[in-house]
Amino acid sequence: MSFSHNLASRSLPLSLLIFLIFVVSFGKSQKEALQVKVGVVLNTNVTLADLSLRAINISLTDFYNTHKGFKTRIVLHIRDSKQTVVGAAASALYLIKKKEVVAILGPGNSMHAPFVINLGNQSQVPIISFSATNPLLDSLRSPYFIRAAHDDSAQVHSISAILKSFRWREAVPIYVDNEFGEGILPCLVDAFQENNVRIRYRSAISLHSSNDQIENELLKLKTMPTRVFIVHMLPDLGSRLFAIAKKIGMMEPGYVWIVTNGIADLMSSIEESSVEAMHGVLGVKTYFSRSNELTYLKTRWRKRFGGAELNHFECWAYDAATALAMSVEKISDVNMNFNKTKTRDDIETDLDDLGTSLSGPKLLEALSTVSFKGVAGRFQLKQGKLEATTFKIINIEESGERTVGFWKLNEGLVKSLSTSQSSRGLRPIIWPGDTIGVPKGWENPISPKKLRIAVPKKDGFNQFVKVTKDANTNVPAISGFCIDVFNTVINQMPYDVAFDYIPFETPDGKSDGNYDEMLYKVFLGEYDGAVGDTTILANRSGYVDFALPYSETGIVFVVPVKDEREKGEWVFLKPLTKELWLLTAASFLYIGIMVWIFEYHADDNFKRHKMSDKISNVFYFSSSTLFFAHRKPSESFFTRALVVVWCFVLLILTQSYTATLTSMLTVQELRPTVRHMDDLKKSGVNVGYQSGSFTFERLKLMGYEESRLKAYDSPQEMRELFLNKSSNGGIDAAFDEVPYVKLFMAEYCSEYSIIEPTFKADGFGFAFPLGSPLVSDISRQILNITEGETMKAMENKWFYGERHCLDSTTTDTPIQLDHHSFRALFLMVFVVSVILLLLMWVSKRYKDRPVEETESVAQEEVNEEGNVVLDGDEADDNEYHVVDVDTALLRRKKLTSTSIPTRRATPLLRLKSA
């Protein structure tokens, strides 16, 4: 007989004795107070349930001792579930139907709970469980189910935080094959996904499995690479599991074992030999904050039960009984009978006359609002259950458990409950095998062979990967830039990774296929990885995992260049566009017209010239400004002002023209034969691609005919195809990845050029099977070497020529100068000319005004001072005198009508300048 059955047989009479003492002690008060019937459904012959029943009795005793004036007293009706689902359901049905209890404490585990919860929901009797922790019970959505405990989902975030802190990317849950074990899995998966932790395999072990069956399951796990195991079961099965794990060598260095609170909370019930087998295991344990109530109860518990330790289930049972007693008192005035509406003729089964509790809704409301400081902390239900905010992390050693930290809801892992930043993380841990070094979390399956790393066999571009064999030993020698990068990464890994390079070739030394075929064999398990110039592609990532890229990215076209220096008799016209030439010519014509206008009004000699002379002089003047060769000074101020602005515009225009023409004739000598990918399609020329590369399929997707695609294996073959050109079976363009193109351009950069556009590609990456834990660690090391000088040194070693060759890319044709570039200058000339024209018109109007007024002066004489005097005696009445007056004199004297005696005035026929 097992230890648990022996303990149960000894503890059962003791529990009944305690119950009788409770009944006798409070018999008098119960006669005076309202007796409220409460049912208890537990496995009375199981240690854990028996201890919980003790806690319930002690709780009620303590409560009524301190609340003697209460109107109600709870009377317990205990039923044994007989460790079966049917027994639990029958007990609950009996209590509800025959005893008409107002609430039920229980059942004892998650397996028995669903049917009991449904009975309570139908009869409106609250079911208060302190030990059914399965999170899936919430899916029943019963308002009458009260979980006076933490459900198992509360601890999954603390487990996930442990895995994240040690950078373990895979774990295997080992759980008991029942509702208790399966309930945590959905929550565990969700928590792991948040931290990018993968569950490679799930191991379910039946409660009734034999030791041989458990050993076979563990041996299966041992053949897998994952070394992190999450154990979720109760101590009876857990003790057997760890004993067998130690026996087969799974408690050695490199292994990680984490147990949930299903085992960690009940460490006191595990035998010493089983604890020794668990040396180095981490555990997540329910944490209750220290309080006077908890300390007092622990002390009494040890004294009363021979030094036994109080566990968390007993604390929750204690608080659940207290909460129920407080709630019953709140509804003391409510009718606590049952309502049975069906007649005997309607009753066909025991469930038909179940009835409903009249006090159920009120009692449920009272339970939902009750709040007090209990032995397990603050008792306050949220959505029908207690909320967990803190867990203790323990390290199990041969002498017992040791606290290494805590997990807090808003802070994560901490060494202590203080809030200092230095307390982040966990204290030093003793791992299985009595080691202090953190296990890496995975290993190769137990096998003498090393990792088999496939390497592509290439006939060209050997700077990336080169496979040769020793003539005597036939041992392959692998070298190249990609190999150096991988070796450097492995050497910097925090742990040893043993591997062998396996050339991807046939027995006769030829390539065994293209890159896709090599990666697919990694997927099939024939290789443990692939190293080489393997491009990361979306379709390939479906069957392998790539580490981060370590090379430049992109795919480009390469075309030959030709000497296309501008030649021909009309090359001098090319710097300017046709529109700018026309605008310039129109501007010369416009300037000539404006000069004509200004000079006509300022120079009398200009007026006397012939029309042909006027036109030739004006346009010669405006054209000569182009060379700043105008010699004759203009008579008009307005002409001079306009010429200054026009010369400024011409200076800028001529300098720009000169610079552009010089560039066309001297600088731009080499240009690609094709300027854009679209021109290649239109011309129908042949395009080259590297043998075995994905670029072949990419070209076909872009619309190139397969007959126009030519393969090459090396830069030399690529060069020969270019020399032959499409007309002789060669190529006029090549489509390849940037690293290959740069290697080719390093040798022939003066003869070829890269044209637009550049297509997206993710560069070269190392490939591993899906879910390989190597990927994250290798990616991290790739970042380390690419950010430092190590990668640059390797590039210089293998691609030395690149440093002596400028990057050759396409250059556009020199930009012609157009009218948009000089729009502001021509607009400035136009505006200035208009302003000058307006100023000239205003000035002319102002100067001509005094002369017009003098033409209206009457016929008079002019004296020595310039006054006009009338001689009436000498004048004939019908005759006008003609007076010659100097116009300048009239202006200087400022003759006006007021200075001439109007009484003697006669009409003035003519004013003539002397």
Side-chain angles (χ1 to χ4, degrees):
M1 187 175 294
S2 65
F3 170 77
S4 60
H5 288 85
N6 290 332
L7 183 58
S9 60
R10 296 195 301 268
S11 58
L12 181 58
L14 183 60
S15 62
L16 295 177
L17 178 62
I18 293 172
F19 177 68
L20 292 176
I21 295 174
F22 169 75
V23 173
V24 173
S25 299
F26 294 94
K28 182 177 180 181
S29 61
Q30 289 175 346
K31 293 178 181 179
E32 298 174 353
L34 176 63
Q35 295 185 6
V36 179
K37 292 180 284 187
V38 172
V40 178
V41 178
L42 294 173
N43 301 326
T44 55
N45 60 342
V46 175
T47 304
L48 182 60
D50 182 63
L51 295 175
S52 300
L53 184 59
R54 297 181 187 180
I56 293 172
N57 289 326
I58 294 175
S59 174
L60 293 177
T61 302
D62 293 343
F63 182 79
Y64 290 122
N65 277 339
T66 56
H67 300 84
K68 295 182 179 180
F70 273 23
K71 302 177 183 179
T72 58
R73 291 292 186 273
I74 288 179
V75 177
L76 297 178
H77 293 266
I78 304 171
R79 296 290 297 181
D80 183 9
S81 64
K82 303 184 184 302
Q83 302 188 53
T84 63
V85 175
V86 175
S91 298
L93 182 62
Y94 173 82
L95 292 171
I96 295 172
K97 184 176 180 180
K98 301 298 183 181
K99 297 297 182 180
E100 295 186 351
V101 296
V102 299
I104 293 178
L105 290 169
N109 56 56
S110 300
M111 288 73 74
H112 300 169
F115 193 80
V116 175
I117 292 172
N118 287 328
L119 286 175
N121 191 48
Q122 183 175 342
S123 60
Q124 296 185 356
V125 174
I127 307 299
I128 306 169
S129 177
F130 48 83
S131 54
T133 58
N134 184 0
L136 297 181
L137 294 177
D138 293 339
S139 62
L140 297 176
R141 294 181 175 84
S142 172
Y144 287 91
F145 174 55
I146 302 297
R147 197 197 304 269
H150 304 156
D151 67 27
D152 291 333
S153 66
Q155 62 185 319
V156 297
H157 292 288
S158 61
I159 298 173
S160 180
I162 293 174
L163 269 61
K164 180 181 178 180
S165 66
F166 293 110
R167 297 180 178 178
W168 295 323
R169 297 303 179 188
E170 286 190 358
V172 172
I174 305 175
Y175 57 94
V176 59
D177 191 11
N178 57 25
E179 289 85 346
F180 168 73
E182 294 171 351
I184 197 175
L185 286 182
C187 303
L188 195 65
V189 170
D190 292 342
F192 283 4
Q193 286 181 346
E194 293 177 5
N195 291 328
N196 197 26
V197 176
R198 178 172 176 247
I199 294 180
R200 174 179 286 270
Y201 178 75
R202 303 179 185 185
S203 176
I205 298 179
S206 172
L207 190 64
H208 307 290
S209 296
S210 65
N211 290 346
D212 290 339
Q213 291 174 325
I214 296 175
E215 182 175 342
N216 291 335
E217 181 66 20
L218 292 179
L219 288 174
K220 183 191 300 183
L221 298 179
K222 193 174 182 180
T223 62
M224 299 179 183
T226 306
R227 289 294 180 263
V228 180
F229 304 105
I230 314 298
V231 180
H232 181 60
M233 55 185 61
L234 292 176
D236 285 347
L237 181 59
S239 299
R240 297 168 56 200
L241 175 77
F242 282 106
I244 297 171
K246 184 176 181 180
K247 172 186 172 183
I248 63 176
M250 294 184 68
M251 298 301 294
E252 300 297 326
Y255 286 87
V256 178
W257 294 87
I258 302 174
V259 297
T260 64
N261 60 5
I263 292 177
D265 286 348
L266 300 173
M267 286 297 298
S268 59
S269 63
I270 301 177
E271 297 180 357
E272 185 177 348
S273 59
S274 298
V275 174
E276 292 178 358
M278 298 172 64
H279 179 67
V281 174
L282 283 181
V284 177
K285 188 172 185 176
T286 304
Y287 175 76
F288 296 147
S289 58
R290 296 178 182 177
S291 64
N292 294 332
E293 293 82 1
L294 180 59
T295 303
Y296 179 60
L297 180 61
K298 284 183 176 181
T299 303
R300 293 166 53 204
W301 192 270
R302 293 191 190 99
K303 290 181 178 179
R304 181 171 297 185
F305 304 114
E309 292 293 332
L310 184 70
N311 62 50
H312 67 293
F313 288 116
E314 293 147 14
C315 293
W316 284 328
Y318 185 96
D319 286 345
T322 302
L324 182 58
M326 295 174 65
S327 302
V328 166
E329 181 65 22
K330 286 184 179 181
I331 63 167
S332 58
D333 298 331
V334 176
N335 185 356
M336 297 190 185
N337 294 323
F338 272 63
N339 180 23
K340 296 182 179 181
T341 58
K342 294 187 178 182
T343 63
R344 287 187 175 273
D345 296 335
D346 298 329
I347 299 173
E348 296 180 359
T349 65
D350 288 340
L351 296 178
D352 291 333
D353 62 341
L354 192 60
T356 57
S357 173
L358 298 176
S359 62
K362 291 294 183 180
L363 180 57
L364 180 64
E365 181 180 356
L367 284 168
S368 301
T369 58
V370 68
S371 178
F372 61 93
K373 185 178 181 182
V375 296
R378 172 62 56 179
F379 187 96
Q380 187 171 10
L381 299 175
K382 291 184 179 180
Q383 297 181 349
K385 61 184 178 182
L386 297 180
E387 185 180 33
T389 59
T390 306
F391 285 94
K392 181 191 294 186
I393 311 300
I394 62 172
N395 187 197
I396 302 175
E397 301 176 356
E398 293 181 356
S399 57
E401 64 183 65
R402 176 174 60 91
T403 301
V404 294
F406 299 86
W407 178 86
K408 301 180 70 174
L409 181 61
N410 297 320
E411 298 181 29
L413 295 175
V414 293
K415 296 177 183 177
S416 63
L417 295 178
S418 62
T419 57
S420 63
Q421 293 293 328
S422 60
S423 67
R424 300 289 182 184
L426 299 174
R427 297 189 183 97
I429 297 172
I430 304 297
W431 302 98
D434 202 25
T435 62
I436 59 174
V438 178
K440 63 184 178 182
W442 72 276
E443 287 182 3
N444 298 329
I446 52 172
S447 174
K449 65 180 182 180
K450 304 175 182 179
L451 289 178
R452 292 169 51 86
I453 303 298
V455 178
K457 179 65 183 298
K458 298 172 64 72
D459 295 328
F461 295 98
N462 292 324
Q463 289 87 342
F464 295 98
V465 178
K466 184 177 182 180
V467 178
T468 58
K469 288 187 177 181
D470 186 274
N472 298 323
T473 62
N474 205 33
V475 175
I478 315 296
S479 62
F481 170 72
C482 301
I483 303 302
D484 280 2
V485 173
F486 185 74
N487 291 337
T488 304
V489 167
I490 294 300
N491 291 335
Q492 294 185 4
M493 293 281 279
Y495 45 83
D496 294 332
V497 178
F499 66 93
D500 287 325
Y501 289 121
I502 308 297
F504 187 63
E505 61 182 5
T506 58
D508 58 356
K510 296 182 180 180
S511 176
D512 196 18
N514 58 28
Y515 286 71
D516 289 336
E517 293 171 350
M518 180 180 69
L519 295 179
Y520 189 70
K521 290 194 175 183
V522 174
F523 170 74
L524 295 177
E526 296 183 25
Y527 298 101
D528 300 310
V531 171
D533 50 346
T534 309
T535 305
I536 302 172
L537 298 176
N539 65 319
R540 293 174 176 175
S541 65
Y543 47 89
V544 293
D545 279 345
F546 285 99
L548 289 178
Y550 58 88
S551 70
E552 295 185 71
T553 63
I555 319 171
V556 294
F557 280 100
V558 180
V559 297
V561 295
K562 62 180 179 179
D563 184 0
E564 203 175 79
R565 188 170 5 189
E566 297 291 348
K567 301 175 183 178
E569 60 274 11
W570 299 105
V571 66
F572 65 90
L573 294 177
K574 291 188 177 181
L576 306 184
T577 61
K578 180 173 63 176
E579 292 81 3
L580 184 54
W581 279 117
L582 294 175
L583 180 60
T584 304
S587 299
F588 276 108
L589 178 62
Y590 176 77
I591 294 298
I593 294 172
M594 296 304 298
V595 170
W596 184 328
I597 295 173
F598 293 148
E599 292 298 315
Y600 184 85
H601 290 279
D603 189 355
D604 291 335
N605 293 329
F606 183 79
K607 298 177 181 178
R608 291 192 292 269
H609 291 167
K610 295 179 180 180
M611 180 59 67
S612 60
D613 293 337
K614 292 178 182 179
I615 294 175
S616 62
N617 288 337
V618 166
F619 287 102
Y620 170 77
F621 180 84
S622 63
S623 300
S624 63
T625 57
L626 179 62
F627 311 101
F628 307 101
H630 45 286
R631 293 287 185 266
K632 182 181 178 181
S634 60
E635 296 293 334
S636 173
F637 163 78
F638 302 107
T639 301
R640 292 192 294 271
L642 179 61
V643 168
V644 169
V645 177
W646 177 240
C647 286
F648 172 73
V649 173
L650 286 178
L651 177 64
I652 296 176
L653 185 61
T654 54
Q655 293 296 323
S656 301
Y657 172 86
T658 304
T660 305
L661 181 60
T662 302
S663 176
M664 286 183 172
L665 294 176
T666 60
V667 176
Q668 292 295 330
E669 297 182 354
L670 299 177
R671 296 188 191 147
T673 55
V674 179
R675 302 193 183 281
H676 198 274
M677 180 195 73
D678 295 335
D679 298 331
L680 287 174
K681 288 184 179 180
K682 295 176 183 178
S683 61
V685 297
N686 294 341
V687 178
Y689 67 94
Q690 189 179 163
S691 298
S693 173
F694 70 96
T695 53
F696 175 71
E697 297 295 334
R698 186 72 64 90
L699 284 169
K700 291 200 297 183
L701 289 176
M702 290 190 295
Y704 290 93
E705 297 180 5
E706 187 172 348
S707 61
R708 293 286 185 180
L709 304 180
K710 306 293 182 180
Y712 55 83
D713 292 318
S714 66
Q716 292 73 26
E717 289 187 17
M718 180 178 175
R719 163 77 167 165
E720 291 176 3
L721 288 174
F722 269 123
L723 292 176
N724 292 332
K725 298 185 178 181
S726 297
S727 57
N728 296 321
I731 60 175
D732 287 311
F735 186 60
D736 215 334
E737 296 177 77
V738 170
Y740 302 117
V741 171
K742 291 188 69 175
L743 185 62
F744 175 77
M745 297 290 290
E747 298 183 37
Y748 310 106
C749 62
S750 62
E751 302 177 40
Y752 301 91
S753 179
I754 299 171
I755 64 172
E756 297 293 337
T758 299
F759 296 86
K760 292 291 185 181
D762 289 332
F764 299 157
F766 303 131
F768 297 93
L770 291 172
S772 173
L774 275 174
V775 173
S776 59
D777 292 333
I778 286 180
S779 297
R780 193 174 296 110
Q781 298 307 321
I782 288 175
L783 290 177
N784 291 336
I785 65 174
T786 53
E787 292 176 359
E789 295 296 326
T790 307
M791 182 65 76
K792 190 64 178 178
M794 288 186 287
E795 290 176 350
N796 292 337
K797 172 184 175 182
W798 292 100
F799 314 123
Y800 181 79
E802 291 185 22
R803 296 182 297 171
H804 303 285
C805 182
L806 295 176
D807 186 21
S808 177
T809 57
T810 58
T811 54
D812 294 331
T813 303
I815 299 175
Q816 287 184 299
L817 302 176
D818 58 11
H819 62 286
H820 298 290
S821 305
F822 300 93
R823 182 185 301 170
L825 292 175
F826 288 109
L827 182 62
M828 180 179 66
V829 172
F830 176 76
V831 172
V832 169
S833 65
V834 171
I835 293 174
L836 291 174
L837 186 63
L838 291 175
L839 290 175
M840 186 196 73
W841 180 79
V842 172
S843 175
K844 185 176 182 303
R845 292 280 298 179
Y846 177 77
K847 291 178 180 180
D848 290 348
R849 182 180 178 186
V851 179
E852 293 173 356
E853 291 178 353
T854 60
E855 290 179 353
S856 65
V857 178
Q859 184 178 355
E860 297 177 346
E861 295 180 2
V862 182
N863 58 11
E864 294 177 357
E865 291 75 20
N867 293 325
V868 179
V869 181
L870 235 188
D871 188 359
D873 296 334
E874 297 178 358
D876 191 351
D877 293 340
N878 298 321
E879 183 180 354
Y880 294 102
H881 290 272
V882 177
V883 183
D884 290 336
V885 181
D886 189 353
T887 305
L889 180 62
L890 289 175
R891 290 172 183 163
R892 287 197 304 272
K893 297 300 184 179
K894 300 180 180 179
L895 293 178
T896 63
S897 59
T898 58
S899 64
I900 302 176
T902 57
R903 56 184 174 82
R904 301 175 60 191
T906 60
L908 184 63
L909 286 178
R910 183 179 58 176
L911 293 176
K912 183 180 181 181
S913 61

